[in-house]
Amino acid sequence: MHVQEWLETIPAASIYLLVGVVIGLESLGIPLPGEIVLVSSALLASQHGDIDPYILGACASAGAIIGDSIGYAIGRRGGRPLLAWLAGKFPKHFGEAQISMAERSFEKWGMWAVFFGRFVALLRIFAGPLAGVLRMPYWKFLIANVLGGILWAGGTTAVIYSVGVVAEAWLKRFSWLGLVLAVLTGLISMLVLKNRAKKAAEQSESPRAATAQAAAEPDAVRAAD
């Protein structure tokens, strides 16, 4: 049984709650399939009148904004030790390479990293906690968080719902394709980000190695003398 089939077995109110909680936890920093749950719920809403797409989009937006805000507060309070703890719990998502890539994105783009990070699977998990760790001013974070959360959650719901309404008969027969596309998109984005993270880590290590070598040379000269 895939996600959409399971969602069909629970009441609409539970779907609203599930979407909000899963997206909220993902935004807080816990690796969960928030995007897949949202896409599946929006497809289901297009086929069943019991699920209101406006309420669904509102719950998804609220989950995204609240989860990111809690993640920001935890990151600001926990600081660097929090990232080390997360790396121990979720090494594939919070490894040194991933954190290095995310930090470089934040240093380069600032609040835009929070806004656009909402649309990228890995950065969606990092955005809130890392913004807090890096002490981004809260008002900047809040603006990017609210706008990004509403545009991502509301926009995803609206687009998937509209497609479902227009092609209801087709989607009813091949609804699994939406999930497959969502999963493939997520995997591709994760692979791209992982590759960039590795390159970022290598670039950050190069200056350190050069500095260490430069510091070691005078010692070697003195030893030779």
Side-chain angles (χ1 to χ4, degrees):
M1 179 182 292
H2 56 59
V3 177
Q4 192 170 352
E5 289 177 341
W6 177 73
L7 289 173
E8 290 177 351
T9 65
I10 62 178
S14 298
I15 291 177
Y16 302 144
L17 180 62
L18 177 69
V19 168
V21 169
V22 171
I23 291 177
L25 291 175
E26 181 190 38
S27 302
L28 192 151
I30 299 175
L32 290 175
E35 192 167 41
I36 292 177
V37 171
L38 179 57
V39 168
S40 301
S41 300
L43 280 173
L44 190 62
S46 70
Q47 301 165 22
H48 298 275
D50 295 339
I51 304 173
D52 190 321
Y54 293 101
I55 297 177
L56 181 66
C59 289
S61 300
I65 295 168
I66 294 171
D68 248 10
S69 297
I70 295 175
Y72 174 90
I74 293 174
R76 193 173 181 88
R77 185 177 181 84
R80 293 283 175 178
L82 173 65
L83 295 181
W85 181 83
L86 288 172
K89 293 291 183 179
F90 308 105
K92 292 183 179 180
H93 297 87
F94 289 91
E96 185 177 347
Q98 288 85 351
I99 292 175
S100 175
M101 182 275 296
E103 285 183 331
R104 290 168 68 89
S105 298
F106 270 73
E107 290 171 0
K108 184 176 182 179
W109 302 106
M111 63 186 293
W112 291 108
V114 177
F115 178 82
F116 288 112
R118 174 59 58 186
F119 300 87
V120 182
L122 184 60
L123 288 180
R124 189 159 55 245
I125 300 172
F126 272 113
L130 192 56
V133 170
L134 297 178
R135 301 282 175 173
M136 177 182 289
Y138 182 69
W139 68 268
K140 288 186 176 182
F141 170 80
L142 183 61
I143 292 174
N145 179 30
V146 171
L147 293 178
I150 292 175
L151 188 59
W152 173 75
T156 299
T157 302
V159 169
I160 298 300
Y161 178 82
S162 299
V163 170
V165 169
V166 171
E168 181 177 358
W170 187 86
L171 285 172
K172 202 165 188 178
R173 188 176 178 185
F174 300 104
S175 58
W176 55 271
L177 285 178
L179 288 175
V180 171
L181 290 174
V183 171
L184 287 176
T185 301
L187 288 174
I188 292 172
S189 63
M190 287 285 286
L191 290 173
V192 171
L193 285 170
K194 188 174 182 180
N195 185 50
R196 291 182 179 178
K198 185 181 292 186
K199 289 182 179 179
E202 291 173 354
Q203 290 175 0
S204 63
E205 286 296 329
S206 296
R208 294 178 190 172
T211 303
Q213 183 177 0
E217 287 177 355
D219 295 335
V221 171
R222 284 195 294 269
D225 292 340

